[in-house]
């Protein structure tokens, strides 16, 4: 049993500022979803609604088909792990972990095993931990919550690269052992891209895109090969990113290649790969002059749920 | 918190478990208060006669400390517990249980302190006088000491409720501290009614509180305290239930 997520016409205002505007979104249960967006786009606000940290100004937030606000059966199975975690800083690490036992599903043994593996000292106070270790502690508590909906909001901040890698692997292992719904909010897009099954891009308080990863990857291509050949194939296409090493060039283009173009590229010795999620994200969320507006989201979303609405 | 706790029972288990943990944490503070209340008069007696109750000061400072502790707990633990999957209603119930236990426990210690001091002062032939006026009210027997101290547990619950309300209001809103405007005068006035020696605190703060309440009598004062506690707890609960969890600062 994992939890689906549904927001219907949700708006959340901070004073006069709309952090989320008329958002409608459905996330399928039992998948790992990526939540991407620029700073201040509304990612954290969206997650805080799903965890009942906040109540929307208008609209409805449903988790597992049920209103989440003050719903003990739901919130006890929902975990939102914020950067640095929510701890009493004067508590010891061990005591902070044990607090998780308020959840009937919390796995203390697993949490302590992870603490040992990630070398988080149990006897230290939380305020004595480095930023990285504190992030690890938060991640451990999130994993050990064994919730049906687990959300990690920039929880990797402060972790070094090996620790992040180990965390992602542990997250995936836990997910494989016990399928549940996971939402990862992050700026390190390429690091998590391989783990994601669905991607939601939030921009300026609205859902800009919601697609399966494959759909995103089909929105563009990476061309790699001899520089001249790559330039020839990419001519006339919108280039998102390019790299050059000696005579070899790699170009990311924001267009799906047709059969003829693929054939021509192959004949010229150009390899075609999927577009990088990060390049695509930058392309989609970077404001451009009016002659080249953002792609019309509704038209470019064949796999998008009927319930999802874009407001970009 | 043992993981055998059920979803239905966890609010009670959390509130109950917080009590012994807090007693353990503040045991040193309580012991220090007892020791100081015993030693300071002994030191003073070397130079002059002892004619004021040291425990009176400790017990009344304790009222403010109770308010700060419970208010601090509400303010600090609300986001942590919601992040642990508790509803605000569960949290409010847990804090109510904890607050009641902690306030009554410290209130009973306050009574025991007055009785113990009565015996101590009697043995040393000192004067156990209470109140901020000079001269204060002299407690001449165990019965008088008990009569003076009997409403302290209720007074502690009153201050604890005030602390919870302020802690919740300050968490709820940046301007929540404005809640002190009604809460502090009401708390001091009701406490003044319950105490034969008047409310305790800075004179500029407490001098206005006795105007209305001096004639209420013990039962009237206790009834007013219960009413203030019930209303204060209800308001605190409403604030907690309505509170969004604040964003974390980068």
């Amino acid at each position: 049993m994992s939890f689906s997520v549904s927001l219907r016409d949700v708006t959340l205002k901070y004073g006069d500022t709309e952090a989320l505007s008329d958002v409608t979104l459905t996330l399928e249960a039992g998948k790992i979803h990526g939540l991407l967006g620029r700073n201040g786009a509304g990612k954290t606000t969206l997650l805080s609604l799903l965890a009942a940290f906040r109540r929307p100004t208008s609209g409805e937030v449903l988790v597992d088909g049920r209103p989440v606000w003050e719903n003990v059966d739901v919130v006890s199975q929902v975990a939102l792990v914020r950067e640095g975690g929510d701890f009493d800083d004067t508590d010891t690490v061990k005591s902070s972990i044990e607090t998780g036992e308020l959840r009937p599903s919390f796995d203390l043994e697993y949490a302590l095993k992870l603490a040992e593996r990630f070398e988080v000292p149990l006897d230290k106070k939380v305020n004595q931990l480095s930023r990285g270790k504190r992030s690890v502690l938060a991640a451990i508590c999130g994993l050990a919550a064994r919730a049906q909906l687990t959300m990690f909001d920039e929880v990797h901040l402060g972790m070094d690269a090996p620790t992040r890698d180990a965390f992602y692997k542990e997250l995936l292992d836990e997910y494989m052992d016990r399928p549940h719904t996971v939402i990862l909010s992050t700026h390190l897009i390429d690091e998590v891209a391989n783990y994601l099954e669905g991607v939601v891009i939030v921009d300026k308080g609205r859902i800009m895109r919601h697609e399966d990863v494959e759909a995103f990857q089909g929105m563009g291509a990476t061309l790699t090969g001899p520089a001249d050949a790559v330039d020839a194939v990419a001519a006339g296409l919108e280039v998102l990113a390019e790299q050059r090493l000696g005579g070899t060039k790699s170009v990311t283009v924001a267009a799906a290649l047709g059969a003829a173009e693929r054939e021509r590229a192959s004949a010229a010795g150009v390899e075609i790969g999927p577009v990088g999620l990060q390049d695509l994200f930058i392309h989609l969320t970077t404001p451009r002059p009016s002659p080249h507006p953002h792609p019309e989201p509704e038209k470019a979303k064949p796999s998008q749920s009927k319930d999802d609405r874009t407001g970009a | 918190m043992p993981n055998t706790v059920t979803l239905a029972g966890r609010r009670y288990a959390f509130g109950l478990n917080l009590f012994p943990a807090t007693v353990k944490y503040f045991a040193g503070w309580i012991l220090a208060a007892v020791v100081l209340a015993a030693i300071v008069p002994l030191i003073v007696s070397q130079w002059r006669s002892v004619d004021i109750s040291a425990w009176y000061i400790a017990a009344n400072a304790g009222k403010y400390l109770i308010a700060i502790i419970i208010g601090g707990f509400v303010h600090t633990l609300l986001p942590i517990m919601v992040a642990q999957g508790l509803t605000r209603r569960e949290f409010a119930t847990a804090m109510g249980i904890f607050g009641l236990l902690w306030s009554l426990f410290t209130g009973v210690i306050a009574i025991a302190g007055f009785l113990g001091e009565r015996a101590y002062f009697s043995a040393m032939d000192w004067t156990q006088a209470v109140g901020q006026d000079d001269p204060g009210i002299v407690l001449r027997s165990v019965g008088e000491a008990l009569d003076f101290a009997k409403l302290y547990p209720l007074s502690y619950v009153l201050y604890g409720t005030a602390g919870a309300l302020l802690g919740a209001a300050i968490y709820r809103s940046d301007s929540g501290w404005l809640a002190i405007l009604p809460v502090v005068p009401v708390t001091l006035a009701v406490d003044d009614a319950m105490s034969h020696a008047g409310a305790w605190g800075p004179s500029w703060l407490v001098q206005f509180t006795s105007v209305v309440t001096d004639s209420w009598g013990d039962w009237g004062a206790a009834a007013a305290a219960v009413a203030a506690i019930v209303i204060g707890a209800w308001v605190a609960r409403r604030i907690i239930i309505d509170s969004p969890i604040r964003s974390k600062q980068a």
Side-chain angles (χ1 to χ4, degrees):
Chain A
M1 179 190 70
S2 49
F3 284 174
S4 62
V5 164
S6 178
L7 294 95
R8 294 179 188 161
D9 304 318
V10 168
T11 294
L12 191 140
K13 291 183 180 177
Y14 296 117
D16 293 334
T17 307
E18 278 196 4
L20 288 177
S21 306
D22 199 25
V23 167
T24 294
L25 172 72
T26 301
L27 297 180
E28 209 176 312
K31 284 190 168 181
I32 301 180
H33 304 272
L35 183 62
L36 312 181
R38 302 184 68 177
N39 291 333
K43 304 185 297 295
T44 297
T45 300
L46 196 154
L47 296 181
S48 70
L49 290 173
L50 297 179
F53 278 28
R54 289 185 172 276
R55 198 158 31 178
T57 308
S58 63
E60 200 173 22
V61 181
L62 303 174
V63 172
D64 194 37
R66 295 172 283 179
V68 68
W69 183 259
E70 288 296 280
N71 188 331
V72 65
D73 292 324
V74 176
V75 295
S76 62
Q77 292 288 334
V78 172
L80 168 57
V81 184
R82 304 196 283 183
E83 193 245 321
D86 285 280
F87 305 114
D88 179 352
D89 284 6
T90 60
D91 253 352
T92 62
V93 168
K94 186 166 186 284
S95 176
S96 296
I97 289 174
E98 287 170 346
T99 304
E101 289 195 286
L102 283 164
R103 294 178 191 278
S105 59
F106 190 82
D107 189 338
L108 181 62
E109 194 181 335
Y110 176 52
L112 295 175
K113 193 181 86 179
L114 289 177
E116 187 180 355
R117 183 180 151 199
F118 284 96
E119 297 176 341
V120 183
L122 294 175
D123 55 341
K124 265 197 175 181
K125 291 196 170 180
V126 173
N127 58 15
Q128 293 173 323
L129 296 178
S130 67
R131 189 184 184 198
K133 288 293 182 200
R134 194 182 164 114
S135 293
V136 170
L137 175 61
I140 287 170
C141 292
L143 291 167
R146 305 279 201 201
Q148 297 305 326
L149 169 62
T150 308
M151 299 172 280
F152 295 96
D153 187 12
E154 301 284 3
V155 76
H156 56 270
L157 293 180
M159 292 184 195
D160 56 27
T163 306
R164 287 200 303 273
D165 186 57
F167 163 62
Y168 297 140
K169 284 175 178 159
E170 189 60 45
L171 173 67
L172 194 61
D173 285 347
E174 215 270 316
Y175 173 75
M176 298 303 282
D177 287 346
R178 188 185 63 85
H180 59 291
T181 311
V182 177
I183 303 177
L184 281 174
S185 170
T186 181
H187 288 296
L188 301 177
I189 299 168
D190 280 345
E191 282 193 7
V192 300
N194 290 338
Y195 301 101
L196 304 180
E197 295 167 273
V199 174
V200 178
I201 298 180
V202 186
D203 192 46
K204 295 173 185 165
R206 295 173 184 271
I207 305 299
M208 173 185 265
R209 295 270 178 164
H210 175 208
E211 307 275 7
D212 289 339
V213 163
E214 292 79 11
F216 270 107
Q217 289 173 336
M219 289 179 193
T222 303
L223 311 173
T224 308
D228 292 345
V230 168
D231 286 341
V233 175
L237 302 176
E238 186 175 4
V239 174
L240 303 182
E242 64 176 64
Q243 286 180 307
R244 186 167 185 152
L245 186 62
T248 302
K249 191 172 185 179
S250 178
V251 166
T252 304
V253 294
L257 300 182
E261 287 162 314
R262 286 177 174 275
E263 204 171 301
R264 188 157 58 91
S266 180
V270 175
E271 285 181 22
I272 302 172
V275 67
L277 195 55
Q278 180 159 299
D279 290 333
L280 200 57
F281 168 74
I282 293 168
H283 167 65
L284 291 171
T285 57
T286 301
R288 285 173 293 166
S290 52
H292 306 285
H294 283 290
E296 265 307 311
E298 292 291 355
K299 292 176 185 170
K301 297 185 299 169
S303 64
Q304 188 172 18
S305 158
K306 274 195 299 190
D307 288 341
D308 295 350
R309 179 183 306 163
T310 62
Chain B
M1 181 73 57
N3 61 0
T4 51
V5 167
T6 62
L7 201 56
R10 66 178 181 169
R11 70 190 70 184
Y12 309 110
F14 172 46
L16 290 170
N17 287 338
L18 194 57
F19 171 60
T22 306
V23 170
K24 189 178 167 191
Y25 186 84
F26 285 102
W29 291 50
I30 294 169
L31 188 64
V34 171
V35 169
L36 278 174
I39 287 179
V40 169
L42 202 58
I43 295 170
V44 169
S45 70
Q46 304 304 309
W47 289 277
R48 52 166 288 185
S49 62
V50 175
D51 51 12
I52 188 166
S53 162
W55 187 250
Y56 173 74
I57 296 167
N60 280 284
K63 292 176 183 174
Y64 292 88
L65 197 60
I66 294 297
I68 291 168
I69 290 169
I70 294 180
F73 273 27
V74 168
H75 188 275
T76 306
L77 293 178
L78 175 60
I80 296 171
M81 292 305 141
V82 170
Q84 294 291 355
L86 253 70
T87 64
R88 291 158 182 78
R89 281 185 174 81
E90 289 182 298
F91 176 74
T93 301
M95 290 312 297
I97 292 167
F98 160 72
L100 194 61
L101 289 174
W102 173 244
S103 302
L104 290 175
F105 170 73
T106 46
V108 168
I109 289 178
I111 293 176
F114 278 111
L115 298 180
E117 190 182 61
R118 175 69 243 135
Y120 176 44
F121 274 36
S122 178
M124 302 299 285
D125 201 22
W126 294 335
T127 303
Q128 188 184 20
V130 293
Q132 289 182 273
D133 296 332
D134 188 19
I137 299 170
V138 178
L139 306 178
R140 292 184 173 82
S141 66
V142 172
E144 283 185 8
L146 184 61
D147 183 54
F148 173 76
K150 63 180 183 290
L151 289 179
Y152 264 72
L154 194 57
S155 181
Y156 276 33
V157 176
L158 175 71
Y159 276 79
T161 306
L165 201 162
L166 291 176
I170 291 168
Y171 186 84
R172 173 70 180 82
S173 164
D174 287 337
S175 52
W177 60 271
L178 286 169
I180 63 173
L181 294 177
V183 169
V184 170
V186 168
T187 304
L188 289 174
V190 175
D191 187 37
D192 179 80
M194 281 195 290
S195 173
H196 299 170
W200 184 85
S203 58
W204 58 266
L205 187 62
V206 298
Q207 64 181 324
F208 303 105
T209 60
S210 62
V211 177
V212 183
T213 57
D214 274 350
S215 59
W216 288 4
D218 283 352
W219 286 107
V226 169
I229 289 164
V230 169
I231 293 169
W234 181 80
V235 173
R237 183 179 171 86
R238 293 301 310 167
I239 294 172
I240 288 170
I241 288 171
D242 189 50
S243 290
I245 302 304
R246 292 177 174 229
S247 303
K248 296 192 71 157
Q249 301 301 314

